[in-house]
Amino acid sequence: MTKSLYRLLCAGLAWALASGAQAHHAFGAEFDPNRPMVLRGPVVKVEWVNPHAWIHMEHTTETGEKEVWMVEGGTPNTLLRRGLNRNSLLPGTEIVVDGYQSKDRSKRANGRDVTFTDGRKIFMGSSGTGAPRDGRDPTER
């Protein structure tokens, strides 16, 4: 193998590993376990992307102001296995999300549970990432 081809392969591998490392994070890196919150409102859009799916929803504050929040969930594959899919989270679907606000106080949250108007509740958090142990994660012991 020539030196230039070897260098190119090493650079490509380093780039691939670095981009994956930047995309995934632990709960504690971005979210505050001391800021639990409940968001209510319709789904605006859903991003089914790895490593975490994102639900964008419109929440109305106590003062009547409408805010669009981004709520992080587990991986798309994990959410699919738990019963969430593109058809269950269509724009306009009314949901309630229990979660934790971001440390920077932006309109981002880590979602633990999503509850539908028919009463179905689905755990949407990602386990093992440092989120508070509150008994809602079915994999917690």
Side-chain angles (χ1 to χ4, degrees):
M1 182 181 311
T2 66
K3 284 185 180 182
S4 59
L5 180 59
Y6 179 75
R7 288 182 183 143
L8 181 64
L9 286 173
C10 288
L13 180 61
W15 177 82
L17 291 173
S19 64
Q22 291 174 347
H24 194 260
H25 57 87
F27 175 92
E30 288 193 47
F31 302 100
D32 189 342
N34 299 313
R35 300 227 5 135
M37 60 186 320
V38 177
L39 299 168
R40 292 176 176 81
V43 171
V44 174
K45 75 175 181 175
V46 179
E47 295 180 78
W48 292 97
V49 295
N50 280 316
H52 296 280
W54 289 89
I55 299 172
H56 299 256
M57 62 183 294
E58 185 179 77
H59 172 73
T60 304
T61 66
E62 293 176 4
T63 62
E65 182 182 348
K66 294 189 183 297
E67 303 174 330
V68 176
W69 282 75
M70 292 177 59
V71 181
E72 180 188 73
T75 67
N77 186 38
T78 300
L79 296 179
L80 287 168
R81 286 182 299 188
R82 292 179 183 153
L84 291 176
N85 60 49
R86 292 180 193 273
N87 294 326
S88 61
L89 291 170
L90 293 172
T93 303
E94 291 286 332
I95 59 172
V96 176
V97 174
D98 294 291
Y100 300 91
Q101 190 174 13
S102 62
K103 285 183 173 181
D104 66 6
R105 304 299 187 254
S106 64
K107 292 179 179 49
R108 290 183 312 119
N110 179 274
R112 290 292 276 174
D113 294 311
V114 61
T115 305
F116 293 91
T117 55
D118 64 4
R120 283 182 303 134
K121 183 181 277 193
I122 297 176
F123 177 71
M124 66 178 284
S126 50
S127 58
T129 61
R133 293 188 175 270
D134 55 12
R136 290 188 269 181
D137 181 345
T139 63
E140 285 179 2
R141 299 188 200 280

